[in-house]
Amino acid sequence: MSTESVVYDVAVIGSGPGGYVAAIKASQLGLKVALIEKYAKVGGTCLHWGCIPTKALLLNAELYEKALHGKEFGILYKDINLDFRLVKARKDKIVKKLAMGTDFLMKKNKITTFSGKGTLTSPGTISVAGESPAEVRAKKIVIATGSEAKLLPGMELDGQCILTNKEILDLDSVPKSLLVVGAGAVGIEFASIFSRFGTDVTVVEMLPRILPVEDQEVSDELRKLLAKRRIKIITDARFENLTVQDGKVQATVSVAGGPAQTITTDKALIAVGRKPVTEGIGLERLGVATTKGFITVDEHMETSVPGVFAIGDIVPTQQLAHVASHEGILAMRHIAGESTEPLNYDLVPGCTYCSPEVASVGLRESAARERGYDVVTSKFPFAAIGKATILGENEGFVKLVCEKKYKQVLGMHMIGPHVTELVAEGTAIIGLEACAEDVSHLIHAHPTVSEGIMEAAHAIYGAAIHF
Ligand code: FAD
């Protein structure tokens, strides 16, 4: 094992959107930085098995669905075929291109990268196991080892029929039928992708509703709209059994104490949440405090061991790429001696890129009430927005949650066309502490789907123009 003579200002373990962004920030701040990654390429879950490949497939699914409805737009095709090998090749090309871009950024920012599994051996030392074992010494350490798919007791992956987000991205053909276990963002996105490719999809969720982190009305609307797209949804479900027999998945599920039913499909996707990758990286040796596997951190992302920081999916905040990146930037600014404000986790936008899309920022109606606000809400349907009708996507709505006295906007919850882009406006509105009246006076271009936000602000005063 080679021991580096250099002592880095900071070493980062893990190169996902938490780790690689933190490393770039450190370099920009003039720190000498090392980045350790055990996978062959930088980029983490987000780039290789998460955000990017799924959204690439979602675009194929959307185009295929649009092509099937070509007649509605006066476009007539003789044959419409889906060549899944080309679909997969495009996704792989996008991932490869972005991985090369990330690699280039590491070089451009003079970040020294080490390939291999990093383990903390002391608060200032990481041993890297790999083809060229090394010992990396640094004044500060940032752990960004991310998360992996969680399994339920009794579930065993076989990589052929019972899959996680990793294996499903490697399928060579579209399965005839798919059981999706878990109706969070990951499960719903895959359900939406494959059902549009023609797969018969059943989603099973333990909780009473799908997308349980979203506002109740959005969950209810999405359930209705997915059912319209022939996705079967079973909530309040309890898994009795999940096995593979004769190459088919057999799931035994009971609903709210009722009789058990058996669901038979070609494939099953397990999407019941993500567990932090914190085992076997030396946390116990250093005495880094954890709760239920997540690393405990203060408002600067520093762990219970001074000089050791943790960011991203391994800390108990929203498991999202943009959260990981912002936590990484915050940690590095603090390490470089800058004064920082703690992150406001209420202001994190959340998106599910299914069809129709779902996006939200700020407080759900129920959360606002639990925090003691006197609440008023409004809802404006995309059915009354011209651009949505042009797009042929006029389902869904914009919902605003405001406090009653000044009508300050506390939450924005949307389901409909391009809402994952519109949510940036919600972040600005809530972050700048605007009231519904301010929003109603902002001139929104016509025809755009963003007019739905302005109309929802008018609707708080019962004065929507087009509804
Ligand atoms: P990760 O991205 O998980 O990266 C951790 C890295 O650390 C990995 O490269 C891993 O190999 C490496 N590593 C682990 N242990 C070690 C070790 N001991 N030594 C060296 N390296 C190590 N979020 C969004 O915001 N938008 C989305 O659209 C979205 N879509 C998603 C879709 C799916 C299917 C999934 C599964 C997730 C999605 N997410 C999305 C979540 C997002 O991917 C994660 O929140 C994000 O990747 C977390 O970043 P991270 O840096 O904490 O960890």
Side-chain angles (χ1 to χ4, degrees), residues 406-426:
Y406 301 104
K407 315 283 191 290
Q408 185 181 333
V409 183
L410 304 172
M412 184 182 291
H413 307 275
M414 298 176 286
I415 174 166
H418 303 301
V419 296
T420 58
E421 300 289 343
L422 294 190
V423 74
E425 182 176 343

Side-chain angles (χ1 to χ4, degrees), residues 13-20 36-39 41-52 54-55 116-119 144-148 165 169 186 189-190 274 277 279-281 311-314 318-325 349 351 353:
I13 313 178
S15 73
Y20 90 76
I36 299 150
E37 170 56 55
K38 68 178 179 185
Y39 183 59
K41 293 169 199 139
V42 290
T45 304
C46 172
L47 176 51
H48 299 286
W49 312 286
C51 326
I52 300 297
T54 50
K55 273 77 223 178
K117 183 180 172 197
T119 309
T145 48
S147 64
E148 59 193 14
N165 61 295
L169 288 168
V186 171
E189 285 184 7
F190 277 111
R274 310 271 308 161
V277 177
E279 276 172 26
I281 56 170
I311 58 166
D313 281 9
I314 46 165
Q318 292 102 319
Q319 289 182 308
L320 292 167
H322 38 288
V323 172
S325 300
C351 300
Y353 300 77

Side-chain angles (χ1 to χ4, degrees), residues 48-106:
H48 299 286
W49 312 286
C51 326
I52 300 297
T54 50
K55 273 77 223 178
L57 291 182
L58 275 155
L59 182 71
N60 294 88
E62 186 186 327
L63 292 174
Y64 182 54
E65 190 183 37
K66 280 248 159 42
L68 290 174
H69 293 99
K71 200 172 168 192
E72 185 187 329
F73 301 91
I75 302 170
L76 304 177
Y77 308 84
K78 268 206 174 120
D79 287 314
I80 300 169
N81 293 311
L82 184 75
D83 186 334
F84 197 67
R85 284 168 316 162
L86 294 179
V87 169
K88 201 178 152 201
R90 183 174 189 273
K91 169 202 64 129
D92 293 341
K93 199 169 147 193
I94 291 167
V95 170
K96 193 171 166 198
K97 188 170 175 193
L98 294 179
M100 280 165 64
T102 311
D103 207 35
F104 168 75
L105 286 175
M106 299 302 102

Side-chain angles (χ1 to χ4, degrees), residues 120-126 138-141 285-286 305-308:
L120 291 153
T121 47
S122 79
T125 322
I126 300 161
K139 292 178 200 155
K140 309 275 184 206
I141 289 173
R285 192 176 305 140
L286 265 65
V305 176
V308 177

Side-chain angles (χ1 to χ4, degrees), residues 295-304 309-310 330 334 342 345:
I295 299 179
T296 315
V297 286
D298 66 12
E299 74 272 26
H300 304 116
M301 313 312 297
E302 195 160 12
T303 70
S304 58
F309 294 73
L330 176 82
H334 177 72
Y345 290 98

Side-chain angles (χ1 to χ4, degrees), residues 23-285:
I24 293 175
K25 191 71 207 170
S27 169
Q28 288 173 344
L29 291 165
L31 302 174
K32 190 163 181 49
V33 54
L35 179 67
I36 299 150
E37 170 56 55
K38 68 178 179 185
Y39 183 59
K41 293 169 199 139
V42 290
T45 304
C46 172
L47 176 51
H48 299 286
W49 312 286
C51 326
I52 300 297
T54 50
K55 273 77 223 178
L57 291 182
L58 275 155
L59 182 71
N60 294 88
E62 186 186 327
L63 292 174
Y64 182 54
E65 190 183 37
K66 280 248 159 42
L68 290 174
H69 293 99
K71 200 172 168 192
E72 185 187 329
F73 301 91
I75 302 170
L76 304 177
Y77 308 84
K78 268 206 174 120
D79 287 314
I80 300 169
N81 293 311
L82 184 75
D83 186 334
F84 197 67
R85 284 168 316 162
L86 294 179
V87 169
K88 201 178 152 201
R90 183 174 189 273
K91 169 202 64 129
D92 293 341
K93 199 169 147 193
I94 291 167
V95 170
K96 193 171 166 198
K97 188 170 175 193
L98 294 179
M100 280 165 64
T102 311
D103 207 35
F104 168 75
L105 286 175
M106 299 302 102
K107 293 190 178 88
K108 184 178 165 242
N109 285 284
K110 300 190 174 39
I111 294 159
T112 310
T113 50
F114 291 85
S115 182
K117 183 180 172 197
T119 309
L120 291 153
T121 47
S122 79
T125 322
I126 300 161
S127 88
V128 183
E131 275 183 20
S132 319
E135 186 163 84
V136 176
R137 289 182 295 149
K139 292 178 200 155
K140 309 275 184 206
I141 289 173
V142 175
I143 312 169
T145 48
S147 64
E148 59 193 14
K150 204 156 67 179
L151 298 180
L152 293 177
M155 279 181 183
E156 268 183 47
L157 296 180
D158 67 349
Q160 294 294 317
C161 292
I162 305 186
L163 318 166
T164 69
N165 61 295
K166 277 191 172 179
E167 298 82 20
I168 198 166
L169 288 168
D170 281 334
L171 288 179
D172 286 320
S173 58
V174 174
K176 280 208 167 59
S177 52
L178 173 70
L179 171 69
V180 175
V181 187
V186 171
I188 291 294
E189 285 184 7
F190 277 111
S192 186
I193 292 169
F194 282 101
S195 90
R196 282 185 285 166
F197 283 152
T199 303
D200 184 8
V201 178
T202 305
V203 180
V204 173
E205 167 61 50
M206 255 168 51
L207 294 173
R209 63 191 178 102
I210 63 169
L211 292 188
V213 299
E214 294 298 342
D215 193 90
Q216 175 87 46
E217 287 191 85
V218 170
S219 290
D220 294 347
E221 183 74 2
L222 182 66
R223 182 177 187 148
K224 205 174 75 195
L225 296 175
L226 293 183
K228 210 169 129 189
R229 287 158 173 75
R230 294 191 312 281
I231 296 178
K232 295 182 221 51
I233 296 173
I234 306 172
T235 47
D236 281 313
R238 214 179 74 113
F239 260 93
E240 313 276 343
N241 207 346
L242 185 73
T243 55
V244 178
Q245 282 167 30
D246 302 325
K248 292 264 182 196
V249 177
Q250 301 269 358
T252 315
V253 175
S254 61
V255 178
Q261 53 173 306
T262 302
I263 302 168
T264 306
T265 53
D266 287 342
K267 307 279 178 197
L269 169 72
I270 311 301
V272 293
R274 310 271 308 161
K275 67 172 181 190
V277 177
T278 49
E279 276 172 26
I281 56 170
L283 298 182
E284 310 75 25
R285 192 176 305 140

